[in-house]
Amino acid sequence: MEFKFGNVAIMLPPLHITIIAIIIIFFLVRWSKQLETRRFTIFFYFLISTYIAPIFSQSTKEGVFQLWIPLGFIVVFFYLFRSKRNHPSKMKASILGLSIAIYQLILQYVG
């Protein structure tokens, strides 16, 4: 979407991505209110869980093949699994981050 105001234009992402971002922010704020202290950590768990990384790369005749995994979610999951301060809201935020990571994986392989 593009909104023009004279010589200035505001560029926004497509409508469905904007709506998804608003829903994600709503859930993260709601879950952060369930924590008694350090409410901002929910956002860090979410952001770290969205990270994807290639673990294997091979050159082929058609191009380069890369195998991607949601490395951020794996790290956060094992950290929460071993932590004594595990809270359900932190796990919810990391699973929401995993859903974004899966979306990124789909974009890597399709696009």
Side-chain angles (χ1 to χ4, degrees):
M1 273 190 294
E2 181 178 353
F3 298 104
K4 291 186 178 183
F5 303 104
N7 293 334
V8 179
I10 297 175
M11 302 288 293
L12 295 176
L15 185 62
H16 68 283
I17 293 178
T18 306
I19 291 171
I20 291 171
I22 291 170
I23 292 170
I24 287 172
I25 292 170
F26 171 75
F27 279 127
L28 290 175
V29 169
R30 185 175 170 191
W31 293 333
S32 70
K33 289 180 181 178
Q34 294 176 0
L35 293 178
E36 295 175 4
T37 59
R38 297 178 48 184
R39 293 182 175 184
F40 61 91
T41 57
I42 293 290
F43 299 98
F44 290 131
Y45 285 111
F46 170 75
L47 289 175
I48 293 170
S49 295
T50 60
Y51 179 71
I52 61 172
I55 59 168
F56 177 75
S57 180
Q58 183 176 3
S59 179
T60 62
K61 291 180 181 178
E62 293 84 20
V64 177
F65 171 76
Q66 291 182 331
L67 182 62
W68 294 79
I69 62 164
L71 187 63
F73 174 76
I74 294 170
V75 169
V76 169
F77 178 76
F78 284 123
Y79 175 75
L80 287 175
F81 185 71
R82 295 192 50 145
S83 177
K84 293 180 181 177
R85 293 188 290 173
N86 189 0
H87 193 275
S89 295
K90 294 178 183 178
M91 187 55 83
K92 290 176 191 176
S94 64
I95 290 173
L96 187 62
L98 175 65
S99 65
I100 300 299
I102 290 172
Y103 176 74
Q104 290 177 349
L105 287 172
I106 291 170
L107 289 180
Q108 284 291 330
Y109 288 120
V110 173

